[in-house]
Amino acid sequence: MGGHMWRLVLTGASGGIGQALAEALAPRCAALMLVGRDGPALEALRARLGPDKVRVVQGDLTQDATLAAVEAAARAMGGADLLINNAGVNAFHDFTTQEPAALRALLDVNLLAPMLLTQRLLPQLRQAGRAQVINVGSLFGYLGYPGFAGYCASKAGLRGFTQALRRELADTGIAARHFIPRATRTPINAGAVDALNAEMGVAVDQPGDVARQLLDFLDGTAWERKAGLREALLVLVNQLLPSLPDRAIRGQLAIIQRHMPGQSWRNKRSAS
């Protein structure tokens, strides 16, 4: 399918990974729709890629009006045959003191929004004959990690949704697929996350690396790809022998907590 010219809907297009994906995929698209919250960034990207074949929808995908606008714009460009649900938010925080609004945002943006957008675009994807839905997940969808309880829940849900949808659509021409990048240097990560990754020696990719990996994945047939051999091995161990990561992460907990925001309750407990 390497020579196919896609009609792509890309969410999170104004972010670091999203912009890299748009630039890498544009030469392989007959039409490209960029969806995101940052209107000026989207327009600047559209100007770079070629305004004739690029459309922009600026808005919040947790809002019905934005979902409807994407659906209408996709129909106007001839219907989508590739949807990449890349939009996402992260939040590194002690779960005990994390704001409920932050937890709702994690689930709304990372899980519910891609589900609802996929549902809206499925008629167009079916009409295309052969199509793909690629959901951009996270290693933390497999591996529960301190400070990321809400994020892990949202990404585990996205993985479950993708697998269920893949099986539900097995008798159609639509492939639902799951792409898991490694840690990536983008503004989605707060300074605390970057500092933690640096101290823990976590391998961090650039957005361009992620874009190249996704292009390779797009042309393959596997339903899922985990970027990084070490990361894939960690997922396997966590599935087969979860007590081993339990002990390893317990040994790292003091380092994680040193970087984790929102631990005032721990300080109060130790002082009492």
Side-chain angles (χ1 to χ4, degrees):
M1 299 182 70
H4 180 74
M5 295 297 286
W6 299 98
R7 297 189 306 279
L8 166 62
V9 175
L10 172 66
T11 73
S14 55
I17 292 177
Q19 292 196 38
L21 287 175
E23 290 168 352
L25 284 162
R28 298 181 52 180
C29 291
L32 169 57
M33 186 194 308
L34 308 174
V35 184
R37 297 185 182 186
D38 188 338
L42 293 175
E43 289 296 345
L45 183 58
R46 178 174 181 260
R48 292 202 304 273
L49 298 180
D52 290 342
K53 72 173 180 180
V54 178
R55 296 168 183 259
V56 164
V57 175
Q58 187 272 330
D60 182 346
L61 284 167
T62 67
Q63 303 298 315
D64 286 342
T66 303
L67 296 173
V70 173
E71 180 185 11
R75 190 180 302 110
M77 74 178 191
D81 63 0
L82 175 60
L83 167 62
I84 299 181
N85 285 308
N86 167 68
V89 294
N90 198 353
F92 177 45
H93 203 281
D94 190 306
F95 180 71
T96 303
T97 57
Q98 195 163 21
E99 291 291 337
L103 295 171
R104 290 191 183 96
L106 285 165
L107 294 172
D108 283 348
V109 176
N110 295 350
L111 178 56
L112 189 58
M115 291 177 69
L116 294 177
L117 181 59
T118 300
Q119 187 181 55
R120 277 183 174 269
L121 293 184
L122 274 176
Q124 296 181 37
L125 296 168
R126 286 195 188 96
Q127 191 171 13
R130 300 202 63 80
Q132 292 193 38
V133 176
I134 297 180
N135 293 325
V136 178
S138 167
L139 181 70
F140 285 171
Y142 274 100
L143 179 73
Y145 203 79
F148 294 92
Y151 182 74
C152 290
S154 68
K155 289 299 187 178
L158 186 67
R159 179 187 179 274
F161 164 62
T162 309
Q163 187 174 70
L165 185 66
R166 176 179 71 91
R167 291 169 175 168
E168 186 168 328
L169 300 177
D171 60 348
T172 75
I174 305 171
R177 309 176 72 197
H178 191 222
F179 174 74
I180 304 173
R182 296 199 300 186
T184 309
R185 196 169 303 283
T186 72
I188 191 177
N189 291 323
V193 176
D194 290 335
L196 175 62
N197 286 338
E199 182 165 355
M200 299 289 288
V202 173
V204 179
D205 285 339
Q206 297 296 327
D209 301 323
V210 177
R212 287 188 291 272
Q213 293 157 8
L214 191 141
L215 256 64
D216 289 341
F217 176 65
L218 179 64
D219 292 333
T221 57
W223 91 272
E224 181 177 70
R225 171 172 175 167
K226 307 175 192 73
L229 181 60
R230 178 179 177 275
E231 288 76 9
L233 180 60
L234 182 57
V235 166
L236 182 62
V237 171
N238 191 58
Q239 290 178 305
L240 299 179
L241 298 166
S243 61
L244 295 182
D246 280 351
R247 288 197 294 271
I249 294 172
R250 176 65 181 87
Q252 300 166 349
L253 192 55
I255 297 173
I256 299 168
Q257 288 172 344
R258 189 162 68 247
H259 293 279
M260 187 191 301
Q263 295 193 84
S264 57
W265 70 276
R266 288 182 185 276
N267 298 331
K268 291 176 183 177
R269 187 181 64 178
S270 60
S272 61

